[in-house]
Amino acid sequence: MVSLTEENYLKALLTLANEKGEVSVNELSKHLNIKMPTANSMMKKLADKKLVHYISYKPLRLTEKGRKEAALVIRKHRLTEMFLVEKMGFGWEEVHAIAEQIEHIHSTAFFEKMDALLGYPKFDPHGSPIPDKNGKMEWIAFESLSHCQAGDSVKLEAVIHSSDEFLKFLNSRELKLGTRLKIKSIEGFDKSMTVSYGKRADEVLSALVCEKLLVSK
């Protein structure tokens, strides 16, 4: 059985993986706020369990077994977030820390029941895909709001790097998934956008905020 600590490493590796499925030890150590020797030591243990391809001074890659293990941890996390929002009334900014604890429960039946009660959702409260029970994820290529043009009308589909502080910021601006936005203008100097939605006619969003919002046209 994979330990709690090992699950956190596997989840980080899958989250940080680039287009080639690779992650540097330096990236991993920074993300987990640990020292590189500690990360290297854990990679050797995970390699012994056939979960990671590990060669000194080379990028790290999950094995197929490791990728599935990581995806199933993410599945439990995102299902839990959805359950907390949909069935227990938590705000989307409140659920991450709770899900971090519940994701390490080793009971397939528990999460299958949760999935059924939710009606088998494909996405979590932040718009991220929920892996199925085999660890497969349905990716949809949404576009960053920052790549859109003045005059575009878009729908907010997901948020990335959704820290509690960022989600509270979105709450304060009455921005939630499903919101339709009209881009009125884009500032040439700093790329901030003036948008309208709901009762807000001239809301200014910084370039940093726009980069974190994923939309469809």
Side-chain angles (χ1 to χ4, degrees), residues 16-217:
L16 295 171
N18 61 21
E19 295 81 2
K20 296 181 180 179
E22 297 177 341
V23 183
S24 72
V25 177
N26 185 46
E27 287 176 300
L28 180 65
S29 62
K30 285 182 178 178
H31 179 78
L32 295 174
N33 194 28
I34 56 175
K35 295 179 180 179
M36 287 184 63
T38 303
N40 275 311
S41 177
M42 177 57 77
M43 290 306 100
K44 292 176 183 177
K45 292 180 181 179
L46 294 178
D48 289 342
K49 292 186 175 184
K50 311 298 183 187
L51 297 169
V52 172
H53 294 292
Y54 173 76
I55 301 174
S56 296
Y57 307 110
K58 297 289 185 180
L60 305 163
R61 286 189 301 111
L62 288 167
T63 63
E64 185 56 33
K65 177 183 177 183
R67 195 209 63 79
K68 181 178 179 179
E69 287 281 354
L72 290 178
V73 177
I74 290 174
R75 168 181 166 79
K76 293 186 288 183
H77 183 101
R78 292 178 179 172
L79 275 175
T80 298
E81 289 190 330
M82 198 63 171
F83 190 87
L84 291 169
V85 169
E86 293 294 321
K87 299 298 185 181
M88 301 186 72
F90 283 89
W92 65 343
E93 79 284 2
E94 300 177 290
V95 296
H96 179 73
I98 303 171
E100 284 280 299
Q101 301 172 59
I102 295 176
E103 71 185 27
H104 299 294
I105 293 175
H106 292 286
S107 171
T108 301
F110 177 83
F111 291 99
E112 286 185 352
K113 183 67 172 179
M114 185 184 289
D115 196 15
L117 287 171
L118 288 168
Y120 307 100
K122 297 291 186 181
F123 300 93
D124 75 4
H126 312 112
S128 298
I130 299 174
D132 66 19
K133 60 184 180 181
N134 296 310
K136 303 296 182 182
M137 270 190 277
E138 179 182 334
W139 290 100
I140 297 180
F142 295 127
E143 185 176 17
S144 171
L145 180 60
S146 62
H147 296 160
C148 298
Q149 305 297 320
D152 286 349
S153 181
V154 299
K155 179 182 177 183
L156 180 57
E157 300 282 6
V159 296
I160 56 175
H161 307 304
S162 52
S163 67
D164 294 349
E165 291 76 15
F166 181 55
L167 295 174
K168 288 176 183 176
F169 169 83
L170 295 183
N171 286 345
S172 73
R173 299 302 191 276
E174 299 179 313
L175 275 170
K176 59 185 179 180
L177 299 190
T179 298
R180 290 200 167 274
L181 304 95
K182 176 75 173 182
I183 302 173
K184 301 180 72 174
S185 63
I186 302 174
E187 173 59 49
F189 175 68
D190 63 3
K191 303 304 179 184
S192 60
M193 288 186 177
T194 299
V195 300
S196 64
Y197 57 93
K199 296 179 180 179
R200 294 178 179 252
D202 294 287
E203 189 71 37
V204 178
L205 302 177
S206 70
L208 177 62
V209 169
C210 294
E211 188 67 35
K212 295 173 180 288
L213 302 179
L214 301 181
V215 300
S216 62
K217 294 183 178 179

